[in-house]
Amino acid sequence: MNRYGLPDEIFIRDKVPMTKSEIRALTLIKLDLNKDDIVWDVGAGTGSISIEAALNVPAGRVLAIEKNIEAVELIKANKEKFKCQNLEVVHGVAPDIFPELTKPTKAIIGGSTGNLQEIIHYLWYKTSVQNLVINAITLNTTYLALEVLNSLQGQIDAIQIALNKIKMVNGYQMLQSQNPVFIISATKQEE
Amino acid sequence: MNRYGLPDEIFIRDKVPMTKSEIRALTLIKLDLNKDDIVWDVGAGTGSISIEAALNVPAGRVLAIEKNIEAVELIKANKEKFKCQNLEVVHGVAPDIFPELTKPTKAIIGGSTGNLQEIIHYLWYKTSVQNLVINAITLNTTYLALEVLNSLQGQIDAIQIALNKIKMVNGYQMLQSQNPVFIISATKQEE
Amino acid sequence: MNRYGLPDEIFIRDKVPMTKSEIRALTLIKLDLNKDDIVWDVGAGTGSISIEAALNVPAGRVLAIEKNIEAVELIKANKEKFKCQNLEVVHGVAPDIFPELTKPTKAIIGGSTGNLQEIIHYLWYKTSVQNLVINAITLNTTYLALEVLNSLQGQIDAIQIALNKIKMVNGYQMLQSQNPVFIISATKQEE
Amino acid sequence: MNRYGLPDEIFIRDKVPMTKSEIRALTLIKLDLNKDDIVWDVGAGTGSISIEAALNVPAGRVLAIEKNIEAVELIKANKEKFKCQNLEVVHGVAPDIFPELTKPTKAIIGGSTGNLQEIIHYLWYKTSVQNLVINAITLNTTYLALEVLNSLQGQIDAIQIALNKIKMVNGYQMLQSQNPVFIISATKQEE
């Protein structure tokens, strides 16, 4: 049973910034997972998206790829907490590490450290990935992702989401904004 | 397997306004469905949320409650298209029709025609509903829903979502706004 | 010459929350000031809106009405800093203090402490105010303001503004959200 | 007296898309006009921003530069309607036409037809422009404007604004979104 968008508090996160619950849910919705998918989560950060993906591909596997060693430890801690046997934590830089890994059927890019185009091209041309979902918080990444994806002849879906939390404060309904996020996804066209 | 947030185009909708894909997905995420839930979709409109709920409670049932006869026909057409045996279409006004129906474990309120408080109170006090999710496009409904839910001692989660679609137009990445939506949910506290 | 939307940093503000530059500018735009207007700023807070109003009604006057004594001191400090001779700082509770004051031709309501309806009614019926602009950060105030104003037969204009600042961080264009604000204005119809 | 953000309806606009009232107001606020400024409005469209600028520089001048002949006619019609003697309508392509024109002290770029970098560079290096304000509705223009301006050592201010109109519909307070707009401004640093 699907459990996308788990509460933020249940993840171990330390000081690494974490994708918020609703954005995580929409990212995974866009990924359109099947039970047996092999998912790459490139720039996995806290691993919260990897965890939720892993919980939803019981017959598949998730590879959380992350270059930062503190983040790698955090993902491992979350893996243990959520008992995700099908989650593999990979310490390495994308796309350099890619040739060593089991090829994916779905991929998320949450961080790309200046290699976004190379990462997308590798995924698109050298794997049989069906869907690619990019989470971006900068205009640079969004702009570049759209330019690159647009040249690939896939089907693109791109949104910007601004979300306000409404909190009760002394009986008043106050709106608290979250920073907006871009979710860009591309699907290979059936031939 | 979860298929929340199906493409808008695959629903039959005629001229009845329809909840957009991402909002539908987040609404169902907030509903936190179990396989065997009995779901009421009050003010079901086109039935797009009912359909997605039904597809995700294979061992449960969804009751799409709708007062407008054209909308009822539309839901029936969608039920047929998506082959949802576990979706029951109920023509009637909420909350008057409620006593005749199988009690729900989860409920969505998409329309309330001036009876929002009565609908919430019935669901909260006269059924064993665990989660309640309200979709609102007006400040009136949002304000009232929060006031009523706040008095019920449940756990409230409320968000406003503004979503821009990014479309490629002559090579330019243009943002097209969608009207914002409020999603208000309440969960009964475990005693 | 108009100087709406002065930089936030030039105001003395201590810990009192302050309306942001762009919102302040739009609030004053909606107020549609004339050189000789008498402006009431009800719930003036830091006085930043009062100051900008005062600078733009050289032949008129601004009354900054505020019940909180720390805020009153802050407004006085800002008055001194900006050398606004035509700004009068009034320590008192609205609408109780209203009968003692020179009647306004324009009014802003930034805070109302539970008396919003009484404040609006006083302004509308017992003064010759032409425009009324309400800044709100809660759904309660927005909802109530619209309900009250809607009954007054004035011409209403209401907007919700969500503003993201774009900051360069290590060469990346990052979006940082501000909490959304509602600006509701009403204009008396010419008879 | 300032009259930024005039009602949209009072402009003649035909089918040319027009900057909305609040965005027009904020654009001019960011431009920080003095009474005697020479303003270039590059890609002036309907001319609504040119008109409001002209009304606010009584001792200065506005040059509305536009390549599209229908838009040029529209600006001329608006010039006549608003009796702006100090508004000059220039039919030509930017930046090719620039050397023929009186140098500006302030500039707005509302349209750039693929020449954004050249336009900015001309304004920054070959005129004594103090402020530059760019209105953008695409990510491409926003991204490029920020990249170019960032290299110029000016002081940059950039915002994205999402604005919802709240309309009363059958007693309900409904939110209607407008497409978001980016306003990017750069100010030359005093040396």
Side-chain angles (χ1 to χ4, degrees), chain A residues 117-165:
Chain A
Q117 180 164 351
E118 294 74 11
I119 292 171
I120 295 175
H121 279 170
Y122 189 100
L123 284 163
W124 200 263
Y125 292 121
K126 301 198 176 164
T127 78
S128 50
V129 82
Q130 294 148 21
N131 288 330
L132 198 59
V133 180
I134 299 158
N135 275 7
I137 57 168
T138 70
L139 293 184
N140 311 54
T141 302
T142 306
Y143 167 73
L144 182 58
L146 281 165
E147 288 297 293
V148 174
L149 291 177
N150 203 37
S151 70
L152 297 182
Q153 313 275 19
Q155 190 175 330
I156 300 177
D157 172 274
I159 55 177
Q160 181 186 22
I161 305 166
L163 198 146
N164 299 315
K165 285 267 174 195

Side-chain angles (χ1 to χ4, degrees), chain B residues 31-182:
Chain B
L31 203 60
D32 197 23
L33 289 175
N34 293 311
K35 279 198 171 69
D36 56 355
D37 269 323
I38 309 296
V39 181
W40 283 9
D41 183 6
V42 181
T46 56
S48 65
I49 289 184
S50 292
I51 295 284
E52 291 201 6
L55 296 174
N56 284 280
V57 292
R61 256 171 99 196
V62 175
L63 282 75
I65 302 160
E66 175 58 51
K67 62 167 190 167
N68 180 288
I69 189 65
E70 280 93 24
V72 164
E73 294 307 318
L74 208 51
I75 304 170
K76 285 182 178 166
N78 273 314
K79 173 185 168 160
E80 190 152 340
K81 177 167 185 193
F82 288 88
K83 300 185 176 46
C84 292
Q85 303 289 351
N86 62 340
L87 171 60
E88 189 180 330
V89 188
V90 178
H91 184 207
V93 173
D96 302 351
I97 195 83
F98 285 178
E100 303 174 28
L101 309 176
T102 313
K103 296 269 180 289
T105 55
K106 304 281 167 71
I108 304 154
I109 306 176
S112 51
T113 333
N115 301 324
L116 184 61
Q117 179 163 348
E118 293 76 10
I119 291 171
I120 294 176
H121 278 170
Y122 189 99
L123 285 163
W124 200 262
Y125 292 120
K126 302 198 176 164
T127 78
S128 49
V129 82
Q130 294 148 22
N131 287 331
L132 198 59
V133 180
I134 299 160
N135 276 5
I137 55 170
T138 70
L139 293 184
N140 311 53
T141 302
T142 306
Y143 167 73
L144 182 58
L146 281 165
E147 289 295 294
V148 173
L149 291 176
N150 204 37
S151 68
L152 297 182
Q153 313 275 19
Q155 192 176 328
I156 300 176
D157 173 274
I159 55 176
Q160 181 186 23
I161 306 164
L163 199 148
N164 299 315
K165 285 268 173 194
I166 307 174
K167 298 284 180 193
M168 298 301 293
V169 180
N170 299 329
Y172 282 93
Q173 305 169 0
M174 302 200 67
L175 294 96
Q176 298 176 347
S177 66
Q178 292 181 358
N179 289 336
V181 176
F182 296 90

Side-chain angles (χ1 to χ4, degrees), chain A residues 69-102:
Chain A
I69 188 64
E70 281 93 24
V72 164
E73 294 308 318
L74 208 51
I75 304 170
K76 285 181 179 167
N78 273 314
K79 173 185 169 162
E80 191 152 337
K81 175 168 186 191
F82 288 90
K83 301 185 176 46
C84 292
Q85 303 289 351
N86 62 339
L87 171 60
E88 189 179 331
V89 188
V90 179
H91 185 208
V93 172
D96 301 352
I97 195 81
F98 285 177
E100 304 174 27
L101 309 175
T102 315

